[in-house]
């Protein structure tokens, strides 16, 4: 059922692996022939009252990484994904050519807080051709999805980072795939996050945990701020002018560490493919 509905379940791993095998027999594998890297949007950063640039570290050792994590603040790591086949192989056309027949759930709408937000099931090929390879007035996003459970073959192209050793248990791996213009509104998660940028560019704006960013009153959106940082209303939220944002853009091969409960807003500055590793402790 998970295979049909696009909702992978751990107990159905055999079915998903079988689907990979059947697909490999019916659909000839096509090697990656990615075009030039996507163009990064020149969109200016939003107005922020106070800004700190997210620190950038060059491929730290595991010991250094642990020391950085203990500070409890975000940082970007460079040159940590160069051993990933995904960094050279993954692009929209490659995924469409080789896995386009698989069904996935996508989100439709500017953000998940929009009144017009919805979800639907489509093939990966339909998603890519409709929303990524061709211009569309509608934004669609394959967000926070366990794509590697649904298509185990793709997991061969990523390798859990040594830094994930700090996770005692319960490492959660998700995929994020969408066109330029996808937005995750300001929110926080209960997980630490190693966010790995594989293809394209993303802009992150973060605020410290514990700072009042005026979460929605409804329990379903309790982890999401009412403040639209790209068009903030200081009349409704005057204390926003006192907040300090941590800001930075991710390029292919970059890894961002986001401590749990830190507020973060994300905008794709091009078509984008990302992988996140979540853990609680």
């Amino acid at each position: 059922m998970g295979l049909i509905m696009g909702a992978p379940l751990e107990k159905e791993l055999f079915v998903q692996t079988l689907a990979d095998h059947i697909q490999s027999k019916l659909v000839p594998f096509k090697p990656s022939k990615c075009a030039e890297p996507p163009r990064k949007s020149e969109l200016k950063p939003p107005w922020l009252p106070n800004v700190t640039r997210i620190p950038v570290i060059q491929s730290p050792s595991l010991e250094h990484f642990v020391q950085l994590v203990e500070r409890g603040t975000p940082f970007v790591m460079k040159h940590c994904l160069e051993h990933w086949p995904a960094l050279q192989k993954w692009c929209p056309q490659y995924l469409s050519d080789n896995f386009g027949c698989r069904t996935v759930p996508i989100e439709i709408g500017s953000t998940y807080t929009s009144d017009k937000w919805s979800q639907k099931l489509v093939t990966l090929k339909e998603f890519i051709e409709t929303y990524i390879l061709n211009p569309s007035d509608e934004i669609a996003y394959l967000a926070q999805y366990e794509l590697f459970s649904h298509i185990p073959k793709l997991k061969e192209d990523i390798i859990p980072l040594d830094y994930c050793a700090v996770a005692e248990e319960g490492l959660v791996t998700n995929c994020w795939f969408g066109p330029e213009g996808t937005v995750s509104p300001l929110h926080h998660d209960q997980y630490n996050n190693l966010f790995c940028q594989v293809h394209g560019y993303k802009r992150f704006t973060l605020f410290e945990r514990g700072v009042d960013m005026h979460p929605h009153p409804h329990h379903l959106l309790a982890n999401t701020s009412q403040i639209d940082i790209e068009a903030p209303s200081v009349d409704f939220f005057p204390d926003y002018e006192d907040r300090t944002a941590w800001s930075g853009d991710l390029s292919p091969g970059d890894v961002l560490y986001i401590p749990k409960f830190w507020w973060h807003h994300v905008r794709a500055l091009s078509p984008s493919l990302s992988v996140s590793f979540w853990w609680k402790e």
Side-chain angles (χ1 to χ4, degrees):
M1 182 60 68
L3 175 67
I4 297 172
M5 298 301 291
L9 301 175
E10 185 175 348
K11 66 180 180 181
E12 296 182 352
L13 180 60
F14 170 76
V15 178
Q16 296 150 19
T17 304
L18 178 62
D20 267 1
H21 179 72
I22 293 172
Q23 178 181 318
S24 69
K25 299 301 182 183
L26 297 178
V27 181
F29 184 81
K30 295 182 180 180
S32 179
K33 293 183 179 179
C34 295
E36 292 296 316
R39 176 191 59 84
K40 180 181 179 181
S41 168
E42 296 181 0
L43 181 71
K44 293 182 179 180
W47 174 83
L48 298 167
N50 307 284
V51 184
T52 294
R53 299 298 299 175
I54 301 173
V56 176
I57 312 295
Q58 300 294 327
S59 187
S61 66
L62 180 57
E63 181 181 7
H64 188 196
F65 172 79
V66 171
Q67 293 171 348
L68 292 168
V69 167
E70 289 175 347
R71 296 178 184 176
T73 55
F75 53 91
V76 171
M77 298 185 290
K78 295 280 189 180
H79 309 299
C80 296
L81 303 181
E82 293 176 350
H83 60 299
W84 278 21
L87 208 61
Q88 284 72 45
K89 293 168 62 175
W90 286 9
C91 64
Q93 192 63 58
Y94 171 76
L95 296 181
S96 179
D97 287 344
N98 293 292
F99 309 100
C101 63
R102 308 298 285 272
T103 301
V104 294
I106 61 172
E107 302 176 1
I108 305 294
S110 56
T111 74
Y112 63 74
T113 56
S114 168
D115 293 336
K116 297 181 180 180
W117 182 87
S118 63
Q119 293 178 298
K120 69 177 181 179
L121 295 172
V122 297
T123 64
L124 194 56
K125 182 180 182 67
E126 180 184 352
F127 167 58
I128 291 169
E129 292 187 349
T130 303
Y131 298 103
I132 297 179
L133 296 182
N134 298 292
S136 174
D137 293 333
E138 201 171 45
I139 294 290
Y141 199 12
L142 179 61
Q144 193 177 323
Y145 184 59
E146 294 185 33
L147 187 64
F148 309 107
S149 295
H150 190 47
I151 309 177
K153 181 70 174 175
L154 282 175
K155 199 168 185 179
E156 298 174 6
D157 294 336
I158 67 167
I159 303 167
L161 302 174
D162 290 344
Y163 308 124
C164 293
V166 300
E168 295 181 1
E169 60 181 18
L171 191 68
V172 178
T173 307
N174 283 317
C175 183
W176 311 78
F177 183 21
E180 178 181 338
T182 57
V183 170
S184 294
L186 189 64
H187 69 286
H188 64 71
D189 299 308
Q190 61 179 330
Y191 298 95
N192 298 297
N193 186 352
L194 280 178
F195 191 93
C196 306
Q197 189 62 22
V198 177
H199 177 82
Y201 304 87
K202 280 193 167 176
R203 172 167 293 154
F204 277 78
T205 307
L206 300 94
F207 297 85
E208 290 187 40
R209 65 177 293 172
V211 173
D212 182 10
M213 298 304 293
H214 302 280
H216 281 268
H218 195 284
H219 70 280
L220 292 178
L221 291 173
N223 73 327
T224 302
S225 173
Q226 298 178 70
I227 301 173
D228 177 359
I229 71 162
E230 296 186 333
S233 173
V234 293
D235 292 333
F236 283 100
F237 308 109
D239 56 354
Y240 181 65
E241 293 186 312
D242 301 324
R243 303 295 182 250
T244 297
W246 295 55
S247 179
D249 294 351
L250 296 189
S251 301
D254 289 350
V255 180
L256 169 64
Y257 170 68
I258 307 173
K260 61 183 179 181
F261 298 120
W262 270 64
W263 296 92
H264 50 287
H265 174 281
V266 192
R267 170 175 282 276
L269 301 176
S270 73
S272 172
L273 270 160
S274 315
V275 176
S276 62
F277 297 103
W278 283 355
W279 74 97
K280 286 192 174 181
E281 298 299 336

